[in-house]
């Protein structure tokens, strides 16, 4: 054992020194001082309306047309526009509606990839990590409001892992060089449990903490797209490419634009461009086939599911990652927007615009995280507030002869007809991917940019210019906003938060003066919906609940509850009639049910066998009969209203319907005994965390017992 331990230390130190030398020799860091002065100035161009963007798409001739408004496409639009190229971008659904809003939200180099690079002496892999670490620094710098450094703990369970992990993580710092977020450090078991109190203490030897970045991916995507349009790009969401146009140049067939459909109006029109870029993530092959029907497919889609749990599953300022579980997988839970994200899975999947998490994937993640938490945290199915699936665009490289093996990094490919495809990669490297793509486009299509080189290194995105970590205090003091609401506005919109606050309604209360909440448990307010429609191109209720606000991703139930209020505000902004409002609510409800895991929870509850003891069944039958005074055999809305009155609660009609909805699985507007027993059984097994109906039934029984006692005393008193 001692010899083994010595070898581990000698090995890790030797590798560490090697990396230090390689890192020094390959140091090609871009200093911040080189950042173009213009990148720190706020671009003056006002945001055109969506109608103006559509008109511009139809009448102008562009240098570049980008297909896809995810991180990659938006990054390309920003790179091209800041070089002075006439740029257009069309997105079939909404900005970030694909993989780019469904990521783990980490801005990272990849600790695991570094481990592989070192263990397998793989220079290509090492370069990938180094590049990503450099881009990590750029993202944190260019959007400080939407990103933050996040400490992540690696728990260590055997002594020999301590030097192994520590040296590995130190290398991560060294490879990042001056762009390191913060230095990593070693923790004793006691300190580890102080910082991550819900961690299981048994067998824990200590921990190592390293830093990566974290972001709000959908809002970052939007910020990049909005910045591109501030620099002159024409961008339009809900515009789908139907086919590509080709022309003949010097006897060769060359891509010259695309036929598109505005999904909001159904209008089909052509967009002309000297160069077309395919940035459609997992859908890359669909566009490649529009260029050449016979082309070989390069994308192997793989789905990754995340679940969202309440904030108490992790400390607010510390994530946890096990890079090597016993069966070789990564498991993590990370704090995000006062909740905890846990994940993930990696399964080959069908390509779809609407990936859905499955119950098996959700249960798999829950089972994994159980290993790490102490007995005070009972890991329950009912705690899953939301679950989503994202599709990884894993691609093989068409530039290489061996097209079977997957590319480790992104690929940029120019077809014979000059369609430029950018595919693969990761969120963290979107800027660099865009730089390489626009370089390739300029060369392939002989474009004449004002600036030959990329201008995006250090370029601040929408909202970043006047942002400071304490800016939210001005929002509280100048506008009379609640502190939590102001913090949320400052982090989501940066210095544009003041424009959002100006749209907020008076609350009519002494405090806060403005900002009516869309849901009592979340800091989102009315003004954000108006701003989303006026300035951020939100056109559907899903655009708002999922990507302008992140409510659908955080809590699908709360999103469902907030939906009618959000649709009312959108109707005022976008002139929707009653029919359109109904349609939007219905589409958004299906999205929450199918894509945010809302339905899964209900279905899995229905499948549960009733696991109550005979005594428990008796107790619940008694409670049921107390509420069902008229012995109808079911509990009606009126019964619920009466019971709530007994407990002295002021509850609105809408809230009573919400309480009923929780339990009424067959949706017939009443509660049957089997539904009640099913709910109590689900609570017992942890499938359901909490039920307002169950609590109400318990209180109604207490009320009934009190009355019964009172009657007995009065009667006996009268008798004496
Ligand atoms: C589970 C998971 C976790 C991840 N976590 C991280 C992480 O923590 N950090 C990290 O750096 N990376 C992460 N990634 C990777 C990262 O999210 C992706 O690499 C990135 O989001 C891909 O962006 P994209 O723009 O290429 O694709 P997408 O975001 O999918 O965008 C492609 C867009 O093209 C549009 N489109 C398709 N067809 C058409 C058409 N015909 N006309 C117009 N538009 C069209 C789609 O609607 C879509 O919006 C993760 C990926 C997954 C799956």
């Amino acid at each position: 054992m001692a010899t083994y331990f010595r070898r581990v230390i000698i090995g890790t130190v030797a590798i560490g020194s090697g990396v230090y030398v390689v890192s020094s020799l390959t140091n090609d860091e871009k200093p911040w001082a080189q950042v173009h002065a213009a990148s720190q100035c706020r671009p003056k161009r006002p945001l055109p309306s969506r109608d103006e963007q559509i008109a511009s798409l139809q009448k102008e001739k562009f240098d570049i047309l980008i297909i896809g408004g995810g991180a990659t496409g938006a990054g390309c639009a920003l790179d091209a526009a800041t070089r002075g190229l006439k740029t257009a971008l069309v997105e079939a659904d909404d900005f970030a509606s694909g993989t780019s809003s469904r990521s783990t939200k980490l801005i990272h180099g990849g600790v695991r990839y570094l481990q592989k690079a070192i263990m397998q002496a793989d220079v290509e892999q090492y370069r990938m990590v180094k590049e990503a670490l450099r881009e990590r620094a750029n993202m944190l710098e260019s959007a400080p409001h939407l990103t933050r450094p996040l400490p992540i703990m690696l728990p260590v369970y055997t002594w020999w892992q301590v030097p192994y992990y520590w040296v590995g993580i130190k290398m991560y710092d060294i490879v990042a060089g001056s762009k390191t977020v913060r230095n990593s450090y070693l923790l004793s078991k006691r300190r580890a449990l102080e910082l991550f109190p819900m961690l299981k203490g048994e067998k824990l030897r200590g921990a190592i903490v390293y830093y990566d970045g974290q972001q709000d991916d959908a809002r970052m995507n939007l910020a990049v797209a909005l910045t591109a349009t501030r620099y002159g790009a024409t961008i339009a969401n809900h515009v789908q490419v139907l086919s590509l146009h080709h022309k003949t140049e010097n006897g060769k067939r060359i891509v010259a634009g695309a036929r598109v459909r505005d999904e909001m109006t159904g209008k089909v029109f052509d967009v002309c461009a000297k160069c077309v870029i395919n940035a459609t993530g997992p859908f890359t092959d669909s566009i490649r086939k529009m260029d050449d029907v016979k082309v070989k497919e390069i994308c192997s889609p793989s789905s990754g599911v995340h679940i969202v749990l309440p904030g108490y599953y992790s400390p607010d300022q510390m994530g946890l990652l096990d890079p090597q579980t016993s069966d070789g997988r990564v498991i993590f839970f990370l704090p995000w927007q006062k909740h905890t994200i846990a994940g993930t899975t990696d399964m080959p999947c069908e390509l779809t615009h609407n990936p859905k998490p499955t119950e098996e994937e959700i249960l798999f993640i829950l089972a994994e995280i159980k290993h790490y938490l102490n007995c005070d945290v009972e890991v329950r199915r009912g705690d899953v507030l939301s679950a989503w699936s994202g599709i990884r665009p894993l691609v093989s490289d068409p530039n290489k002869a061996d097209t079977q093996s997957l590319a480790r990094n992104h690929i940029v490919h120019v077809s014979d007809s000059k369609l430029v495809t950018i595919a693969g990669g990761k969120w963290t490297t979107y800027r660099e991917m865009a730089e390489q793509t626009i370089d390739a486009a300029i060369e392939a299509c002989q474009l004449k940019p004002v600036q030959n080189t990329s201008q995006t290194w250090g370029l601040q995105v929408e909202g970043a210019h006047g942002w400071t970590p304490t800016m939210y205090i001005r929002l509280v003091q100048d506008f009379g906003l609640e502190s939590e609401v102001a913090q949320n506005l400052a982090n989501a919109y940066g210095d544009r938060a003041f424009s959002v606050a100006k749209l907020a309604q008076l609350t009519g209360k002494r405090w806060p003066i403005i900002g009516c909440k869309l849901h009592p448990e979340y800091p989102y307010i009315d003004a954000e919906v108006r701003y989303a429609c006026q300035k951020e191109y939100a056109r559907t209720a899903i655009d708002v609940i999922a990507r302008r606000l992140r409510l659908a991703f955080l809590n699908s139930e709360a999103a469902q509850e907030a939906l009618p209020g959000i649709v009312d505000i959108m109707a005022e902004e976008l002139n929707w009639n009653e029919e359109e409002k109904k349609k939007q609510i219905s589409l958004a409800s299906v999205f929450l049910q199918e894509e945010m895991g809302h339905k899964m929870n209900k279905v899995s509850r229905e499948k549960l066998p009733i696991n109550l003891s005979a005594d428990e069944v008796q107790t619940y039958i008694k409670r049921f009969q107390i509420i069902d005074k008229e012995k109808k055999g079911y509990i009606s809305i009126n019964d619920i209203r009466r019971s709530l009155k007994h407990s002295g609660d002021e509850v609105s009609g809408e809230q009573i319907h919400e309480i009923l909805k929780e339990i009424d699985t067959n949706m017939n507007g009443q509660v049957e005994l089997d539904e009640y027993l099913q709910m109590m059984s689900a609570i017992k097994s942890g499938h359901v965390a909490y039920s307002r109906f169950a609590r109400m039934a318990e209180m109604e029984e207490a009320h009934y017992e009190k009355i019964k006692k009172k009657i007995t005393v009065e009667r006996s008193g009268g008798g004496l």
Side-chain angles (χ1 to χ4, degrees):
M1 181 70 196
T3 324
Y4 183 66
F5 184 65
R6 207 175 312 126
R7 276 192 197 146
V8 167
I9 299 226
I10 294 170
T12 43
V13 169
I15 293 166
S17 320
V19 166
Y20 184 74
V21 172
V22 175
S23 159
S24 316
L25 293 176
T26 59
N27 198 343
D28 56 349
E29 286 170 11
K30 296 187 187 186
W32 294 118
Q34 275 181 13
V35 171
H36 200 269
S39 65
Q40 303 310 335
C41 305
R42 186 203 294 267
K44 296 269 183 315
R45 186 186 186 217
L47 294 171
S49 69
R50 186 172 179 281
D51 287 349
E52 286 166 336
Q53 302 272 32
I54 298 285
S56 153
L57 279 179
Q58 292 175 70
K59 68 170 188 270
E60 306 205 18
K61 285 206 160 59
F62 295 93
D63 289 320
I64 291 186
L65 167 65
I66 297 152
I67 312 174
T72 311
C76 287
L78 183 58
D79 194 289
T82 48
R83 292 195 205 201
L85 289 166
K86 206 159 174 43
T87 306
L89 178 149
V90 290
E91 160 55 51
D93 188 336
D94 186 25
F95 306 113
S97 58
T99 309
S100 297
S101 60
R102 299 161 191 254
S103 79
T104 307
K105 284 108 181 76
L106 279 179
I107 311 170
H108 65 148
V111 194
R112 277 217 319 163
Y113 303 123
L114 182 62
Q115 184 200 20
K116 271 197 204 151
I118 292 164
M119 291 320 221
Q120 297 161 8
D122 185 334
V123 178
E124 194 197 333
Q125 188 110 335
Y126 167 80
R127 283 230 166 88
M128 236 174 72
V129 177
K130 191 163 175 67
E131 274 165 24
L133 287 172
R134 200 183 56 188
E135 292 301 322
R136 178 184 73 175
N138 180 69
M139 271 182 91
L140 291 166
E141 186 74 18
S142 68
H145 56 306
L146 289 166
T147 61
R148 65 167 181 168
L150 178 70
I152 300 176
M153 185 180 281
L154 303 179
V156 182
Y157 294 101
T158 46
W159 285 115
W160 68 264
Q161 280 181 327
V162 175
Y164 176 72
Y165 276 176
W166 188 73
V167 172
I169 288 297
K170 273 289 153 206
M171 287 174 202
Y172 198 58
D173 293 350
I174 292 169
V175 175
S178 65
K179 303 286 185 291
T180 191
V181 179
R182 283 192 202 141
N183 282 325
S184 56
Y185 50 90
L186 196 64
L187 289 176
S188 66
K189 173 178 175 175
R190 195 173 59 84
R191 273 294 285 155
L193 290 174
E194 256 172 47
L195 291 177
F196 209 112
M198 46 295 273
L199 192 62
K200 203 183 257 176
E202 304 150 24
K203 295 192 188 151
L204 187 73
R205 300 288 175 229
I208 289 155
V209 173
Y210 75 99
Y211 282 80
D212 259 327
Q214 192 183 46
Q215 63 161 336
D216 179 340
D217 51 5
R219 289 209 58 88
M220 173 69 100
N221 194 147
L222 179 71
V224 174
L226 293 179
T227 313
T229 204
R230 292 258 185 216
Y231 278 96
T234 297
I235 59 166
N237 54 351
H238 301 290
V239 174
Q240 182 172 184
V241 167
L242 304 174
S243 59
L244 295 180
H245 285 314
H246 293 84
K247 64 176 182 190
T248 309
E249 208 175 78
N250 302 330
K252 281 187 100 181
R253 189 171 160 267
I254 303 289
V255 182
R259 172 148 294 184
V260 303
R261 182 174 57 222
D262 178 352
E263 300 295 340
M264 293 290 106
T265 58
K267 185 172 178 191
V268 174
F269 56 90
D270 293 332
V271 182
C272 300
K274 292 179 192 156
C275 185
V276 175
I277 293 178
N278 169 17
T280 51
F283 294 91
T284 190
D285 287 322
S286 63
I287 304 295
R288 280 162 44 81
K289 281 184 186 292
M290 287 179 194
D291 181 39
D292 174 3
V293 258
K294 290 197 215 95
V295 83
K296 211 166 164 230
E297 294 184 357
I298 57 167
C299 183
S300 319
S302 155
S303 94
V305 168
H306 291 86
I307 59 172
V308 174
L309 295 159
Y312 56 72
Y313 273 77
S314 64
D316 189 36
Q317 291 300 332
M318 181 73 72
L320 184 134
L321 180 135
D322 190 342
Q324 198 113 51
T325 56
S326 50
D327 52 357
R329 266 174 283 116
V330 189
I331 193 83
F332 56 79
F333 28 127
L334 308 168
W336 187 67
Q337 306 217 349
K338 299 199 161 48
H339 292 65
T340 302
I341 297 182
T344 179
T345 54
D346 192 349
M347 303 277 283
C349 66
E350 289 286 310
L351 186 58
T352 163
H353 277 286
N354 314 98
K356 303 172 180 67
T358 64
E359 186 62 18
E360 289 70 36
E361 286 169 307
I362 295 170
L363 293 179
F364 163 77
I365 298 170
L366 283 175
E368 284 297 312
I369 63 171
K370 240 180 216 164
H371 302 313
Y372 299 89
L373 295 168
N374 71 31
C375 56
D376 282 335
V377 192
E378 191 194 334
V379 178
R380 303 180 297 182
R381 175 63 180 84
D383 284 340
V384 178
L385 301 173
S386 183
W388 74 83
S389 167
I391 299 185
R392 287 184 189 83
L394 302 175
V395 286
S396 47
D397 191 344
N399 301 315
K400 288 192 178 156
D402 170 20
T403 50
Q404 291 308 310
S405 61
L406 292 177
R408 303 217 192 123
N409 212 341
H410 58 271
I411 54 117
V412 179
H413 178 255
V414 183
S415 75
D416 289 343
S417 52
K418 301 204 185 314
L419 171 70
V420 180
T421 292
I422 166 74
K426 55 184 183 175
W427 228 122
T428 309
T429 52
Y430 85 95
R431 191 211 65 84
E432 195 194 31
M433 288 161 64
E435 178 176 339
Q436 292 173 10
T437 310
I438 302 304
D439 282 346
I442 290 171
E443 196 190 320
C445 305
Q446 290 160 14
L447 304 175
K448 304 263 172 296
V450 179
Q451 306 281 350
N452 263 318
T453 54
S454 173
Q455 303 292 300
T456 54
W457 177 254
L459 185 109
Q460 295 205 304
V461 301
E462 179 86 355
H465 296 87
W467 182 86
T468 65
T470 46
M471 193 197 87
Y472 76 93
I473 300 171
R474 274 164 49 211
L475 287 166
V476 176
Q477 294 183 336
D478 296 357
F479 289 91
L481 281 162
E482 199 181 308
S483 180
E484 199 196 356
V485 168
Q487 278 182 47
N488 181 57
L489 288 187
N491 292 341
Y493 303 87
D495 60 9
R496 302 281 169 188
F498 295 96
S499 309
V500 182
K502 281 184 193 148
L503 300 175
Q505 258 185 354
L506 286 168
T507 62
K509 296 190 215 152
R510 190 185 59 76
W511 190 261
I513 297 170
I514 61 160
C516 299
K517 280 194 179 179
L518 298 167
H519 190 280
E521 293 161 34
Y522 288 85
Y524 301 117
I525 57 166
D526 55 332
E528 292 178 80
V529 183
R530 294 193 191 283
Y531 192 77
C533 297
Q534 291 175 18
K535 300 285 176 192
E536 297 183 335
Y537 306 114
R539 281 300 173 274
T540 68
I542 303 174
D543 294 350
V544 171
I545 58 170
R547 293 173 290 269
R548 304 304 179 278
L549 318 174
R550 302 311 307 271
L551 191 54
F553 279 79
L554 292 173
N555 188 331
S556 58
E557 181 86 44
Q560 183 71 54
E561 287 167 10
L563 194 54
I566 290 172
V567 167
D568 280 345
I569 301 173
M570 291 189 80
E572 283 173 25
E573 292 293 325
L574 302 171
N575 293 323
W576 287 348
N577 57 21
E578 282 307 312
E579 197 187 330
E580 182 64 23
K581 278 167 69 175
K582 270 197 201 131
K583 182 178 139 199
Q584 291 293 331
I585 289 185
S586 154
L587 290 173
S589 303
V590 171
F591 169 80
L592 291 170
Q593 298 278 331
E594 305 278 345
E595 291 181 54
M596 293 291 128
H598 200 49
K599 186 168 162 190
M600 274 305 144
N601 209 356
K602 240 181 182 176
V603 170
S604 77
R605 202 175 83 204
E606 278 165 18
K607 278 191 202 150
L608 279 182
I610 292 180
N611 65 345
L612 302 168
S613 69
D615 283 352
E616 284 167 335
V617 171
Q618 283 313 314
T619 306
Y620 300 137
I621 290 178
K622 184 180 157 202
R623 284 182 193 168
F624 188 89
Q625 288 171 343
I626 291 171
I627 304 174
D628 174 21
K629 275 207 165 41
E630 294 127 20
K631 306 274 174 283
K632 308 179 289 299
Y634 64 86
I635 291 170
S636 65
I637 279 272
N638 278 341
D639 294 326
I640 297 178
R641 189 175 290 119
R642 190 183 47 236
S643 294
L644 287 168
K645 253 195 199 146
H646 291 157
S647 55
D649 286 342
E650 279 289 326
V651 182
S652 69
E654 218 169 83
Q655 285 166 318
I656 294 176
H657 279 279
E658 288 301 330
I659 292 173
L660 175 72
K661 236 168 53 188
E662 259 174 24
I663 189 163
D664 180 18
T665 42
N666 63 7
M667 316 255 269
N668 64 353
Q670 57 198 37
V671 182
E672 280 91 25
L673 180 62
D674 61 333
E675 286 172 330
Y676 178 46
L677 293 179
Q678 194 88 51
M679 170 66 87
M680 298 318 293
S681 179
I683 290 177
K684 188 178 173 188
S685 64
H687 256 72
V688 170
Y690 183 80
S691 153
R692 287 171 283 188
F693 183 89
R695 180 83 190 110
M696 181 202 81
E698 201 181 326
M699 286 169 77
E700 182 68 349
E701 187 188 17
H703 172 77
Y704 173 80
E705 295 296 344
K706 215 163 85 187
I707 299 272
K708 218 166 73 176
K709 260 193 206 149
K710 254 193 204 160
I711 292 169
T712 320
V713 170
E714 274 164 15
R715 280 196 183 148
S716 60
L720 277 173

